[in-house]
C-alpha cells in the first residue's frame, strides 16, 4: 500500500474549474488509481479512475465531458481536472490506489481500493 495526499480543493462558483492533485508515497506504475467523492448524507461514489500501466480511463456518467483524470508517473502524482463545475459536485474528494487487477465496474467501488487519502473539500456555489 502507498500513502496518498490530496490537495487542490476549494470553493468556486458554478461553471468554474479546479484541479485536484494526489501525491503517492511510492511507485504507482501498474496501478489502478481513482477519485471518489462523498457528499453529506450520501454514500461515497466513484468519479474517475485510471490504470497507470496503459492509461485507460473510466468515468461516472455525471462527470463525462467535464472531468479529466491523468497521471504523472515520474512525479507519482494523480490529477483530476474539473471543469464546468456544478453545485451537485460539492463533496469531499478522495484519492485511492489499488495494485490488483480490477474488472468491469469494480473501479467504482471504494472498498476495492486498499490505499486511500484523507480527502480534499470541493464546494461549488450557485
Amino acid at each position: 500500500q502507498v500513502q496518498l495526499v490530496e490537495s487542490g480543493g476549494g470553493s468556486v462558483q458554478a461553471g468554474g474549474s479546479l484541479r485536484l492533485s494526489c501525491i503517492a508515497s511510492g511507485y504507482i506504475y501498474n496501478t489502478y488509481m481513482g477519485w471518489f467523492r462523498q457528499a453529506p448524507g450520501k454514500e461515497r461514489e466513484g468519479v474517475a479512475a485510471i490504470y497507470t500501466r496503459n492509461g485507460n480511463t473510466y468515468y461516472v456518467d455525471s462527470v463525462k465531458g467535464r472531468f479529466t483524470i491523468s497521471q504523472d508517473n515520474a512525479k507519482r502524482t494523480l490529477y483530476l481536472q474539473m471543469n464546468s463545475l456544478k453545485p451537485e459536485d460539492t463533496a469531499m474528494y478522495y484519492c485511492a490506489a489499488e495494485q490488483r487487477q480490477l474488472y468491469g465496474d469494480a473501479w467504482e467501488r471504494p472498498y476495492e481500493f486498499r490505499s486511500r487519502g484523507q480527502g480534499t473539500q470541493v464546494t461549488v456555489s450557485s
Side-chain angles (χ1 to χ4, degrees):
Q1 297 184 13
V2 295
Q3 302 300 312
L4 303 169
V5 179
E6 304 94 334
S7 63
S11 296
V12 296
Q13 291 191 326
S17 298
L18 285 172
R19 188 176 80 156
L20 305 183
S21 299
C22 170
I23 297 178
S25 62
Y27 182 73
I28 64 170
Y29 185 71
N30 205 29
T31 300
Y32 286 88
M33 297 198 73
W35 287 100
F36 295 84
R37 66 186 179 187
Q38 187 167 18
K42 295 188 177 181
E43 292 187 356
R44 191 170 299 191
E45 66 169 347
V47 175
I50 188 168
Y51 184 36
T52 62
R53 181 175 182 176
N54 58 21
N56 285 351
T57 57
Y58 311 86
Y59 296 94
V60 69
D61 286 347
S62 60
V63 308
K64 285 180 180 177
R66 300 190 298 123
F67 291 10
T68 303
I69 190 170
S70 62
Q71 67 193 68
D72 185 328
N73 287 344
K75 295 182 179 179
R76 296 179 281 111
T77 302
L78 179 73
Y79 301 100
L80 185 68
Q81 178 67 45
M82 304 186 296
N83 298 328
S84 302
L85 282 161
K86 303 176 181 181
E88 51 264 43
D89 294 317
T90 295
M92 184 72 79
Y93 283 70
Y94 300 89
C95 173
E98 176 55 51
Q99 293 184 320
R100 296 176 300 130
Q101 180 69 45
L102 298 180
Y103 298 96
D105 60 359
W107 71 268
E108 296 185 71
R109 299 192 283 267
Y111 59 80
E112 296 284 0
F113 290 75
R114 289 176 289 180
S115 296
R116 305 170 193 171
Q118 294 301 306
T120 186
Q121 178 67 38
V122 172
T123 302
V124 185
S125 58
S126 57

